[in-house]
Amino acid sequence: QQARRAYHKKLLQVHPDKGGSPKDFRILQTAWGLVRQRLESKGRAPRGTAGTVASPHDAPVAKSCTKPNAKSASSRVSTYADRVREHLSSKGDCKEPRKSPKEPVAKGQPPPRGFPGNKRPAPRGSVSQAAGKTAPPASVSKAATTPLFRQAQTKRSCPESRPAKAPSRPAAPAASVQKSATSAQTRASDGFRAPFARKDPKTPFHGVVDDGVTEVGQVEAAKRVVWNHLQALQLHELNNDETSRSPKPLPLDGRFSDGIGQYISAWEDVVMCEVEAQAQGTVSRSGSIAMGKSPIWAAPLEPSSVRSGWRLQLLTGTWMGTGNARKTSITIAPAQGELFIYYGKGNSGAKVEVSLDGCWRSTLPNGQITGGWLVDWNTLLVDGEYRLQRPQADRLQNGAVLLLTMGPSAGKKTQSHRLGILERQGPMAVLKAAPDVGEGCAWLEAIVTNLALTSSARELQAVRGAESIPESLVKHLVAKVETRPGAMRRRGTSTTDRRPPPPCLSSLNQSQLRAAEAACQDSGFTLIWGPPGTGKSSTLLALINALHLQEYERLHRAIEAMVLAQGTGSEDEQWCAAVRCAPRLLVTAGSNAAVEHLLARMFKQKFTDRQGNCYNPWGVVRVGSDRGEPHRADLDGRVQALLDLQDEAVTENLRQATAELDKLRIQVRTLRKHIQALQAEMPIPQGWTAHVSPETGFVEFHDHLRKQATWRRPNPPQPDAPCVNLLDLPSAVEQLGTLIQCADRWWQLQGQEQRLTLLQEHPCALRSAQKVHVLRAQLEGSLLSRAHVVFSTLNSAARLLPTAAENEPFGAVVVDEAAQSMEPSVLIPLQLARSNRCILVGDDRQLPATVFSPRPELSRAGRSLFERLRQTGHEPQMLELQYRMAPEISSFPRSYFYGGALKDAPGMEENSRRLLHGLCPPLLFVDVESTAEREGGSWRNLREAQICVALLRKLHSSAEEIGEANMARDIGVITPYRAQCECLRQELRRSASAVGPGVVDTIDAYQGRECELVVFSAVRAPDTSSDVGQIGFLADERRLNVALTRAKSILVVIGHGRTL
């Protein structure tokens, strides 16, 4: 495996497509054949690789080489390559390969584009085909400006130019994509040239996708471990229990008595078993993993062998229009050994011609010519101006897992399924699968899955790296620290000499304030328990504000120590060390929605300093995909904006940043000199003040009792007499404040200068796809290293690991929705912690983490870290007042789910009164005699859906009539089953109700949301085969708790009374 990796690395360096020499490429291939032969003779052949054609001189060269164990794999490949070159030189066979003969062209006609030997781009408009005909440039230009969907609707026919009739859209291809790809290469070498030139010749035609994720080496290693395990399972049909792991059960009491080794081993088994369960559900199509809708076709990399991998034909699949072409929809699929394009419904296809450089062209049935090229893996440019994209579910990215459908192989009459992983190899998108995938089949159909291989690899890496977490947190993880009940509560409230709480905490109630103070003062894990409607988000934002102020005070102390004390090193080194103490907070959550909600509220409400002034923290970065509108804090957006800068703008911005840094450096030295001059004259008697004259630079002393000023220092006060120190001087305090502002500005400008320098070192004209990928990673690291507050999902926090060693670690880690996340995912951000402080916020009485594996040994895998710490003795800080539900609605959840500890906030009875209560009480149960029926793997109840729609229409119209439009606009419909969701949506559409189908969703989707009026359809009732119904999902009290606590004013429950 080491030899294979070294070979592939060197092969990319000398590949002719990368500017390498064909001679070196051929020599390296021969050297790899010798290495493989040598390893095979020792019984160490790399698994799943195929050797190249051996040279006639293999034997003498092999005898002269050293043993495989003598050197590393990389050196071994180089040694073989050198010896092959020497041997071929001695035989006179080391000449450059003969260049491919040029295709004869007509006189005056430019050489065809796409021909391997051609280096000059052909002019736009001339089309050379295999038959030697040239289309007039004017007609090509006209086709290039005609949108594809307009061409498809044109009624004009051109019989003389209409191509042969294409077959109708096939359900499955009848021939191989391999033939299509081979024929495309043949046409290109025969003289085919694409009719449309790319606007930007620097853009790689294959669209090397950059998913914005720069993985650390450990994550990549973990991903290989996960994928190799799945490959081994696939060879045994992915359901053989003999190849699956047999994990040990997690401890019942939540304590790992054998220490961190037992902890890592147990959770590593959990992660791998979860991957197995997801893979089994994906292959059998019975799991809950989301799948793409349209297939993408693949052909073998080498026509003679499918073991080398499969190359995706990136043109294939369904493409949807955007912008002006949003109504356009085309499908490109293989048929009869060729690629065909299908537009609209019920239309015949047109053959697609593909050139070597990735451009494509097609002549539609109406005679119009259309074409374009791939901008990236998921974007297709048509007619030079219209962009089409793959549907969201079909998007490709590096590392994605695809479900592969193989055609009938020898001896088998049915199709079979396997999993493949998508890898970027230069410009190609290559599928890697189990070694026996595709044996005997002619094509592969690939469908994108949502199998989180990268997420699982990140969790596996976090589990294996648990020892890097601060030691005090590790002791709590393995539950070796005995925590007395109530200890955390007393630590948060027992101090009497502490500073008054900052203004940002002044709006919190008593329980919220107690929780925030405990999180600010305690070390280790702090648990904040937030039942529904208790203001968890408000408390969390106030807590982040308070932590930010604490981190700023750390910066203030560092600057004061740097100025007032004599440190080691130069002044610049001391200043840089102090500036690096800038605030660092990491705020994470289990879902993107929770992260976006916190980020939006923070920018809307702003932070408050200790003087009560509002401010926006400038160093805020959002890591991960933003599903809403682009945000100024989005990391990927900021990096892309930097990459889009032109070279002239980079040079000018760098000049300005450098000049401002120079001015700031002079200002810092002056301020530091003035403060140190005042410090040298301290203390002075009471009634005196001092400041540095800006004109002379000397210290002036003022006697306010005698109203005199002098250059002479007054006599020092007696030891016991009152005196004035440095921080008692208004001028010194003002200069220290200015110095702290300079530190903030310095921190920003230094990062800006670093990023602009990187861009200047990589001009736009010299950026290849590989260089852009490296440059993007460097820019990401620079932005993250200067961020004060980083918002991220738990899994996306792994993107901070590559630069974690060079950057300042985080002073505190906050995890929202901690009770909904599996423990391995919470370990990812804990690796980035500097201090022993981690705040977990959640409610373990609501929805738990999702566990895919049905193994009984993993029955406790869904127990979150929040819940396990509570079980081992950590006392949570509970938010005790709820501000959401009317008392009639909250009465049952407060008493049943929270044991009476949760209370209504004062005034909730009056604040929750609505005029609509005259028609419908706050809590209403509708007993419906109905039957439930099973649909697929879910349940539906048509009678309940019909009554639900009738109630919604009545309540909506009544709210509009009495003037409570806000009630009519804020309606939610909740049900436990997806089949019932679809049934309710169909009934709402059929009845043409003013309530749209978008308000209907499952209980899981409504977690964290609230509505004025909620209708809950319980669904379960006796089915046609039994008179006794089962309650199904409602047996889970946590799911029932979520369903009953979403309503603010009115909750209507529809169900079968005897069953419930």
Side-chain angles (χ1 to χ4, degrees):
Q1 290 178 355
Q2 293 176 357
R4 184 173 69 251
R5 287 195 294 268
Y7 163 67
H8 285 305
K9 182 178 179 181
K10 289 183 175 295
L11 193 67
L12 290 176
Q13 295 174 356
V14 302
H15 199 281
D17 292 346
K18 295 291 185 180
S21 168
K23 176 187 66 176
D24 292 338
F25 182 71
R26 182 166 59 92
I27 289 175
L28 188 61
Q29 284 184 315
T30 306
W32 170 242
L34 302 179
V35 172
R36 181 175 175 81
Q37 180 182 4
R38 187 75 171 177
L39 293 177
E40 286 177 343
S41 65
K42 297 293 183 180
R44 296 169 52 190
R47 182 179 177 184
T49 57
T52 57
V53 179
S55 168
H57 313 290
D58 282 354
V61 178
K63 291 180 180 178
S64 62
C65 291
T66 59
K67 295 182 179 181
N69 292 332
K71 294 185 179 180
S72 67
S74 178
S75 302
R76 193 157 54 246
V77 173
S78 300
T79 301
Y80 275 108
D82 293 339
R83 292 189 178 274
V84 169
R85 184 180 287 105
E86 293 173 3
H87 193 82
L88 294 181
S89 298
S90 64
K91 297 289 183 180
D93 192 22
C94 196
K95 301 178 182 180
E96 286 286 337
R98 186 180 61 178
K99 295 184 179 180
S100 302
K102 294 187 177 181
E103 181 77 3
V105 295
K107 185 176 182 180
Q109 180 180 346
R113 186 181 179 190
F115 181 66
N118 180 31
K119 296 184 178 180
R120 185 183 66 178
R124 184 187 183 106
S126 58
V127 182
S128 176
Q129 301 180 4
K133 298 181 180 180
T134 305
S139 63
V140 175
S141 177
K142 180 178 180 181
T145 58
T146 307
L148 179 63
F149 64 92
R150 292 183 189 171
Q151 297 173 18
Q153 296 172 356
T154 304
K155 297 181 179 180
R156 182 177 59 86
S157 61
C158 301
E160 66 278 6
S161 61
R162 180 170 298 182
K165 184 177 181 181
S168 59
R169 186 186 309 220
S176 67
V177 182
Q178 170 192 343
K179 182 179 178 181
S180 175
T182 305
S183 61
Q185 295 179 5
T186 304
R187 287 194 303 273
S189 61
D190 286 344
F192 169 73
R193 188 182 61 80
F196 307 114
R198 296 191 298 276
K199 295 181 180 179
D200 185 6
K202 300 187 294 295
T203 304
F205 74 89
H206 286 289
V208 178
V209 68
D210 191 349
D211 53 10
V213 178
T214 306
E215 295 290 353
V216 72
Q218 293 91 334
V219 175
E220 288 295 336
K223 189 182 296 184
R224 286 193 293 271
V225 170
V226 174
W227 178 244
N228 291 338
H229 181 65
L230 287 184
Q231 277 193 324
L233 290 176
Q234 290 187 90
L235 294 179
H236 296 80
E237 300 300 329
L238 242 172
N239 56 5
N240 190 344
D241 294 336
E242 296 180 359
T243 61
S244 301
R245 288 175 173 254
S246 298
K248 296 181 180 178
L250 295 172
L252 180 63
D253 60 354
R255 299 181 183 276
F256 295 86
S257 56
D258 293 340
I260 191 65
Q262 179 192 4
Y263 180 88
I264 293 175
S265 177
W267 282 110
E268 183 177 343
D269 287 345
V270 170
V271 173
M272 298 301 291
C273 289
E274 280 292 285
V275 174
E276 291 179 16
Q278 295 180 52
Q280 291 171 0
T282 303
V283 171
S284 62
R285 296 176 179 255
S286 62
S288 58
I289 301 298
M291 308 281 287
K293 302 299 182 183
S294 58
I296 305 168
W297 305 96
L301 278 172
E302 298 178 7
S304 60
S305 173
V306 298
R307 290 181 177 270
S308 59
W310 297 76
R311 177 176 180 174
L312 277 185
Q313 176 53 266
L314 293 173
L315 282 176
T316 60
T318 299
W319 301 89
M320 309 297 294
T322 60
N324 296 334
R326 60 183 178 272
K327 295 183 179 180
T328 307
S329 174
I330 66 172
T331 299
I332 300 179
Q336 299 180 1
E338 304 287 348
L339 287 180
F340 284 85
I341 181 173
Y342 303 89
Y343 51 91
K345 294 183 179 180
N347 296 316
S348 60
K351 187 169 68 173
V352 176
E353 297 176 328
V354 185
S355 67
L356 274 181
D357 62 355
C359 297
W360 63 276
R361 184 186 68 173
S362 178
T363 303
L364 301 178
N366 57 16
Q368 296 291 331
I369 299 176
T370 186
W373 61 89
L374 282 166
V375 178
D376 55 46
W377 287 0
N378 300 302
T379 306
L380 183 70
L381 192 66
V382 179
D383 299 330
E385 55 181 329
Y386 294 97
R387 287 177 177 262
L388 277 65
Q389 293 185 339
R390 298 189 192 274
Q392 186 65 35
D394 298 330
R395 296 288 176 91
L396 297 173
Q397 65 177 359
N398 188 37
V401 178
L402 284 74
L403 180 65
L404 310 179
T405 302
M406 300 178 292
S409 58
K412 295 183 179 180
K413 297 182 179 181
T414 59
Q415 294 178 333
S416 59
H417 300 291
R418 287 288 190 274
L419 293 177
I421 187 171
L422 189 62
E423 293 183 358
R424 182 192 300 114
Q425 291 187 6
M428 295 187 300
V430 177
L431 280 171
K432 295 295 183 181
D436 66 340
V437 168
E439 293 293 344
C441 72
W443 48 264
L444 272 186
E445 172 188 307
I447 297 180
V448 179
T449 73
N450 198 29
L451 184 62
L453 191 62
T454 300
S455 300
S456 300
R458 289 171 173 174
E459 292 178 359
L460 181 62
Q461 184 273 331
V463 169
R464 292 181 170 182
E467 293 179 340
S468 64
I469 299 173
E471 185 178 356
S472 62
L473 295 180
V474 171
K475 292 180 180 178
H476 290 283
L477 286 177
V478 299
K480 282 192 173 183
V481 177
E482 293 294 336
T483 306
R484 295 172 299 168
M488 294 178 64
R489 184 182 299 273
R490 287 194 295 273
R491 287 201 305 270
T493 58
S494 61
T495 55
T496 57
D497 55 346
R498 67 176 186 271
R499 297 176 60 183
C504 61
L505 303 180
S506 60
S507 61
L508 303 182
N509 62 39
Q510 186 176 359
S511 63
Q512 293 171 340
L513 179 62
R514 183 172 61 245
E517 288 183 340
C520 291
Q521 296 172 13
D522 293 338
S523 61
F525 287 100
T526 302
L527 310 183
I528 298 180
W529 185 10
T534 53
K536 177 175 63 69
S537 298
S538 300
T539 306
L540 185 53
L541 287 175
L543 171 60
I544 297 171
N545 191 167
L547 292 172
H548 191 251
L549 293 179
Q550 276 193 352
E551 289 285 296
Y552 248 122
E553 290 171 358
R554 175 173 169 268
L555 172 64
H556 295 180
R557 290 191 298 269
I559 291 179
E560 290 178 7
M562 180 268 300
V563 174
L564 304 180
Q566 295 297 329
T568 59
S570 64
E571 291 187 358
D572 288 343
E573 290 176 350
Q574 295 179 32
W575 171 253
C576 291
V579 168
R580 287 184 68 87
C581 296
R584 295 280 285 168
L585 296 176
L586 178 59
V587 182
T588 64
S591 64
N592 280 297
V595 174
E596 292 159 15
H597 175 69
L598 286 174
L599 186 64
R601 288 194 59 174
M602 188 200 72
F603 277 106
K604 181 179 179 180
Q605 298 177 5
K606 301 184 179 180
F607 281 179
T608 306
D609 61 18
R610 287 195 174 272
Q611 286 71 42
N613 303 315
C614 292
Y615 71 97
N616 255 334
W618 60 265
V620 178
V621 173
R622 163 72 164 99
V623 180
S625 58
D626 190 351
R627 299 176 301 175
E629 295 296 326
H631 198 279
R632 56 181 176 177
D634 182 56
L635 176 64
D636 297 332
R638 293 174 66 177
V639 170
Q640 189 59 48
L642 288 170
L643 292 174
D644 292 340
L645 286 176
Q646 298 299 318
D647 295 340
E648 296 80 7
V650 170
T651 303
E652 177 62 21
N653 293 344
L654 181 58
R655 184 190 64 79
Q656 295 178 3
T658 305
E660 192 170 352
L661 265 176
D662 292 339
K663 293 180 181 178
L664 204 58
R665 185 177 292 108
I666 297 174
Q667 184 181 4
V668 168
R669 290 176 179 173
T670 303
L671 289 171
R672 184 174 181 179
K673 181 179 179 181
H674 288 179
I675 295 174
Q676 290 177 344
L678 290 173
Q679 172 70 6
E681 304 294 342
M682 295 297 112
I684 57 178
Q686 191 174 14
W688 286 76
T689 59
H691 74 275
V692 178
S693 173
E695 293 82 7
T696 62
F698 295 105
V699 178
E700 294 182 3
F701 298 94
H702 294 264
D703 185 354
H704 292 280
L705 297 179
R706 300 178 182 178
K707 297 184 179 180
Q708 295 178 355
T710 179
W711 299 104
R712 292 184 177 182
R713 177 186 177 184
N715 294 327
Q718 296 298 325
D720 297 334
C723 62
V724 176
N725 292 310
L726 179 68
L727 297 182
D728 297 326
L729 299 176
S731 60
V733 173
E734 181 181 357
Q735 288 176 335
L736 276 174
T738 306
L739 198 60
I740 292 170
Q741 293 177 0
C742 291
D744 275 347
R745 186 60 183 155
W746 180 288
W747 194 241
Q748 297 179 48
L749 287 173
Q750 201 176 41
Q752 183 179 353
E753 183 186 41
Q754 180 187 30
R755 294 186 288 275
L756 292 172
T757 302
L758 288 171
L759 292 172
Q760 191 178 50
E761 293 173 353
H762 300 82
C764 297
L766 302 180
R767 294 178 193 169
S768 63
Q770 184 177 4
K771 289 183 178 179
V772 169
H773 186 75
V774 175
L775 180 59
R776 183 184 296 273
Q778 294 173 336
L779 294 175
E780 282 187 10
S782 176
L783 286 168
L784 291 172
S785 66
R786 307 290 162 170
H788 282 192
V789 187
V790 177
F791 286 83
S792 170
T793 61
L794 292 171
N795 211 267
S796 296
R799 292 177 60 177
L800 281 70
L801 289 173
T803 56
E806 296 80 14
N807 299 339
E808 285 293 311
F810 293 94
V813 176
V814 181
V815 181
D816 192 14
E817 296 183 340
Q820 290 181 252
S821 307
M822 290 186 65
E823 189 162 337
S825 61
V826 180
L827 298 181
I828 299 174
L830 289 186
Q831 300 177 92
L832 305 166
R834 173 183 71 238
S835 66
N836 304 322
R837 180 186 299 173
C838 177
I839 298 101
L840 304 180
V841 185
D843 181 12
D844 55 350
R845 304 293 172 86
Q846 297 189 60
L847 292 179
T850 302
V851 178
F852 293 93
S853 179
R855 292 176 174 270
E857 301 95 334
L858 302 183
S859 59
R860 289 182 288 275
R863 180 177 55 187
S864 64
L865 178 60
F866 186 98
E867 185 178 358
R868 190 170 68 83
L869 289 177
R870 285 193 61 185
Q871 184 181 358
T872 56
H874 281 69
E875 181 72 18
Q877 301 289 339
M878 182 179 182
L879 309 183
E880 299 172 349
L881 298 181
Q882 73 86 18
Y883 298 86
R884 175 188 296 170
M885 298 167 281
E888 294 86 347
I889 301 175
S890 67
S891 176
F892 175 72
R894 285 190 291 108
S895 61
Y896 187 79
F897 299 118
Y898 299 98
L902 182 63
K903 302 177 179 62
D904 290 330
M908 279 305 299
E909 187 170 359
E910 295 78 12
N911 296 337
S912 61
R913 295 303 97 183
R914 301 291 185 267
L915 296 177
L916 196 59
H917 287 163
L919 175 66
C920 180
L923 178 62
L924 175 65
F925 177 70
V926 181
D927 190 0
V928 178
E929 286 293 332
S930 61
T931 58
E933 54 184 350
R934 194 169 185 84
E935 185 176 276
S938 186
W939 288 85
R940 66 194 295 265
N941 190 319
L942 180 59
R943 180 59 178 162
E944 279 191 16
Q946 294 171 345
I947 293 179
C948 179
V949 171
L951 276 171
L952 286 173
R953 295 183 62 182
K954 179 62 177 177
L955 292 172
H956 185 275
S957 60
S958 300
E960 293 281 359
E961 292 173 1
I962 62 179
E964 288 188 333
N966 60 326
M967 293 280 293
R969 290 191 299 266
D970 195 9
I971 295 178
V973 182
I974 306 177
T975 183
Y977 298 98
R978 296 188 180 275
Q980 184 71 355
C981 281
E982 188 58 34
C983 182
L984 284 164
R985 293 180 183 130
Q986 292 176 0
E987 290 297 319
L988 285 172
R989 295 189 190 100
R990 187 179 297 111
S991 64
S993 173
V995 180
V999 302
V1000 182
D1001 221 323
T1002 61
I1003 296 176
D1004 296 52
Y1006 262 93
Q1007 168 87 349
R1009 297 166 59 182
E1010 62 182 19
C1011 297
E1012 282 285 345
L1013 193 157
V1014 171
V1015 178
F1016 173 49
S1017 174
V1019 180
R1020 297 308 292 266
D1023 55 20
T1024 55
S1025 61
S1026 174
D1027 294 334
V1028 180
Q1030 303 293 328
I1031 60 174
F1033 275 150
L1034 300 181
D1036 185 354
E1037 293 182 353
R1038 291 179 289 190
R1039 183 168 272 103
L1040 182 61
N1041 182 21
V1042 174
L1044 299 181
T1045 55
R1046 301 304 98 194
K1048 298 167 65 176
S1049 303
I1050 295 178
L1051 172 63
V1052 180
V1053 180
I1054 304 176
H1056 188 267
R1058 288 188 293 111
T1059 299
L1060 299 181

